[in-house]
Amino acid sequence: MKKLGIDIGGANTKIASSDGAVCELYYVPLWRETKLPTVLKNISQSHNPSHVGVVMTGELADCYEDKASGVTGIMDIVRDSFDCEIDFLDQRGNFVKHAQNPASLAAANWMASASFIARKMKDCLFVDMGSTTSDLIPLKNGKVIAHNTDTQRLANNELLYQGILRTNIAALLDSVAISPGNCQVASELFATSADAYLLLSDIDEDAYTCETGDGHGKSEKEAARRLARVVCADLNEIDMADVRKIAVAVKNRQKERLAEAISKLCHKHDINTVLAAGLGEFLIKNACEELGIECISLAEEWSRDISKVFPAYAVANLLE
């Protein structure tokens, strides 16, 4: 009888079993004509779980009028897809079967991760950098002390809206120093952070799970062409050294933002250890090295596959 954790985000749906034998990620952009019902029904048929635990952030997708309708819509899809016991985790770490207050289930995937980690470590800053966002959750004396809503967490350095794959480079850089000079960045979705990390070999094509800015391929040359576009250039106008400078500037800017938030939260809560998870573990480690803060790799403690789908793995274990 298998217990399965499911993390339904706006872009990705992740699943994991409590023993980590199942760790799967599906790119399911909810803002389009969503394939979520099909994906979840396929998961139900292939894994036949006896019990599923669900967390979500997908309610924020702009296909929904508001968070409440997003939560109830996702709950309905889950119930239609699984013929087994279903529990949903709320922002306070409690399982519920029905939502009298749908807003209490919004953006609760970080609570699954933090609640599970709190059973393993008393004091740490849990930092999970995924494709789209970065969660920074303080744990003190075995208790989760983060704010509840995304807006509150954005206001308190506990949520950064930047990720390894889907962040628009124009949201990170105002300008970049290349051979022609200090060049302003075009405010268009020409390239994303995935293009920078692919070019720098921090991720490979398999990890580049989202769509590209131009709808074309995911080779290094195609990534370089998109990066050149952020300064309104073709690859015959600037050379690869300049394109790499753009990629490095993206990486440095995201690292700076991470380091600033980590430093503030560790100082505020008197925490000296960071537990890094997600696709962006490598960047979290780099930020901690520069800060002189101990960083524990969740991928090394558990596995790389578990690290990438950790909220789903955590909620599966919380079901136990």
Side-chain angles (χ1 to χ4, degrees), residues 44-294:
S44 177
Q45 292 171 3
S46 60
H47 294 290
N48 192 28
S50 60
H51 193 176
V52 297
V54 182
V55 287
M56 67 183 80
T57 59
E59 76 289 332
L60 196 61
D62 55 16
C63 57
Y64 297 117
E65 182 178 357
D66 53 31
K67 294 179 184 179
S69 61
V71 168
T72 55
I74 291 171
M75 292 178 77
D76 287 343
I77 293 173
V78 172
R79 292 192 183 107
D80 288 342
S81 302
F82 291 92
D83 184 21
C84 66
E85 186 176 1
I86 302 169
D87 280 292
F88 299 88
L89 194 77
D90 68 16
Q91 294 167 349
R92 298 187 179 277
N94 301 315
F95 281 113
V96 298
K97 296 190 183 298
H98 304 281
Q100 292 182 339
N101 174 21
S104 68
L105 299 181
N109 67 344
W110 61 269
M111 178 55 81
S113 300
S115 296
F116 179 61
I117 291 297
R119 301 180 180 187
K120 310 289 184 180
M121 300 178 68
K122 287 188 176 181
D123 294 357
C124 76
L125 180 66
F126 175 69
V127 184
D128 185 351
M129 188 173 191
S131 66
T132 310
T133 60
S134 303
D135 292 308
L136 299 94
I137 310 302
L139 305 174
K140 195 71 178 177
N141 298 319
K143 294 182 179 180
V144 180
I145 52 176
H147 294 77
N148 282 341
T149 70
D150 278 354
T151 304
Q152 291 170 333
R153 293 195 302 124
L154 282 167
N156 287 277
N157 298 298
E158 295 165 359
L159 173 62
L160 301 181
Y161 228 90
Q162 64 167 22
I164 294 298
L165 301 183
R166 298 185 59 247
T167 304
N168 186 347
I169 287 177
L172 294 170
L173 303 177
D174 294 320
S175 62
V176 61
I178 55 177
S179 296
N182 192 40
C183 189
Q184 292 186 45
V185 167
S187 182
E188 295 282 359
L189 182 53
F190 284 135
T192 65
S193 48
D195 294 311
Y197 293 115
L198 182 71
L199 197 68
L200 296 174
S201 300
D202 287 317
I203 64 169
D204 56 23
E205 287 188 45
D206 289 339
Y208 197 148
T209 55
C210 63
E211 75 270 17
T212 61
D214 58 5
H216 292 165
K218 300 173 182 179
S219 68
E220 286 191 10
K221 184 175 181 180
E222 288 165 311
R225 184 178 69 240
R226 288 188 288 270
L227 288 167
R229 286 287 169 86
V230 305
V231 292
C232 301
D234 289 330
L235 289 177
N236 61 0
E237 295 179 272
I238 60 173
D239 60 24
M240 284 300 295
D242 279 333
V243 175
R244 287 187 65 82
K245 287 178 182 177
I246 297 170
V248 169
V250 169
K251 183 175 183 176
N252 286 341
R253 181 60 182 134
Q254 288 201 302
K255 183 172 62 176
E256 287 169 6
R257 286 185 173 182
L258 267 179
E260 182 180 10
I262 289 170
S263 178
K264 286 181 178 179
L265 288 169
C266 284
H267 182 265
K268 178 180 179 179
H269 299 289
D270 191 26
I271 291 172
N272 301 308
T273 302
V274 166
L275 179 62
L279 191 60
E281 266 200 32
F282 67 92
L283 201 63
I284 301 167
K285 290 180 190 176
N286 289 349
C288 289
E289 285 172 5
E290 294 191 0
L291 292 169
I293 294 175
E294 179 188 13

Side-chain angles (χ1 to χ4, degrees), residues 4-40:
L4 204 63
I6 306 175
D7 175 16
I8 301 173
N12 297 297
T13 291
K14 305 170 184 178
I15 70 168
S17 57
S18 56
D19 61 1
V22 175
C23 291
E24 298 171 5
L25 184 150
Y26 300 87
Y27 180 62
V28 187
L30 298 187
W31 59 89
R32 294 183 175 176
E33 184 178 353
T34 181
K35 297 179 181 178
L36 184 63
T38 301
V39 170
L40 291 184

